[in-house]
Amino acid sequence: MYKRQPKPNLHFPEANENFSTYNIGIHRHQPEIAQSLTKWGARFGAALAREPLFVPHLLPIERGILETIYAEPSDAGLVDTATVQACLREAYANEPFVIVRDDAPTLRDVQRTNAVHLNARVAHGRVVVVAAEDNLVKGASGQAIQNANLMLGLEETMGLR
């Protein structure tokens, strides 16, 4: 049985009024992010020069995760913001809870919803993807409801917003 161990940096007196990074390059979601962006990069004709870097941050707020992911195309000249955004729109066109935005998302956009908001742009030869989600809904309970709906043959969006 997995037992979580308390970490001093997560205790309220240390985390409150603070903003910090953690598990840079070794976060448990790093492999799935790398897999998705590598596959996704190939779709718009630009293989990645190396594994994308996910830098998680701890911000002691009630709910929400804001992710910033950096990817380096093997040929930066082949990639621009319009191409990357078009690829995201195509990849998620049939996903009712994924919103590809023209601007960077904020936590307030997604709190208390099952939605993930995405934006990507090319800056200094790198693709920068920003994603926002409510970790209590989309990250846990909402995802479970969405999966149960699919498994039971119900409308995917039933009981969710």
Side-chain angles (χ1 to χ4, degrees):
M1 182 172 133
Y2 175 74
K3 184 175 178 184
R4 294 179 71 172
Q5 297 297 317
K7 296 179 178 121
N9 65 314
L10 299 179
H11 291 212
F12 180 78
E14 296 298 323
N16 187 46
E17 297 297 321
N18 199 6
F19 187 45
S20 59
T21 61
Y22 63 98
N23 293 341
I24 299 170
I26 59 169
H27 191 276
R28 69 178 181 246
H29 294 306
Q30 175 73 33
E32 67 188 272
I33 289 168
Q35 178 183 15
S36 295
L37 287 182
T38 299
K39 179 180 177 183
W40 177 96
R43 289 186 68 197
F44 64 83
L48 298 179
R50 66 185 110 213
E51 183 174 328
L53 176 61
F54 169 46
V55 180
H57 292 78
L58 173 63
L59 180 62
I61 57 175
E62 178 185 325
R63 60 199 313 149
I65 296 173
L66 186 70
E67 302 170 3
T68 306
I69 303 159
Y70 308 89
E72 185 178 340
S74 59
D75 185 348
L78 294 176
V79 181
D80 61 20
T81 297
T83 303
V84 173
Q85 282 285 96
C87 181
L88 280 176
R89 290 185 199 291
E90 178 187 329
Y92 295 108
N94 296 319
E95 296 298 332
F97 296 110
V98 180
I99 310 300
V100 179
R101 302 165 50 115
D102 292 327
D103 58 340
T106 70
L107 293 178
R108 193 164 285 140
D109 298 324
V110 296
Q111 288 173 329
R112 293 172 174 73
T113 75
N114 194 53
V116 175
H117 286 211
L118 296 172
N119 174 264
R121 62 191 60 248
V122 175
H124 304 283
R126 292 180 183 89
V127 176
V128 181
V129 180
V130 179
E133 69 180 72
D134 183 316
N135 56 316
L136 298 178
V137 181
K138 183 62 173 174
S141 59
Q143 188 66 47
I145 293 168
Q146 186 177 351
N147 289 341
N149 287 345
L150 290 170
M151 290 171 46
L152 296 170
L154 302 172
E155 181 66 35
E156 183 175 356
T157 58
M158 184 179 275
L160 298 167
R161 60 181 180 102

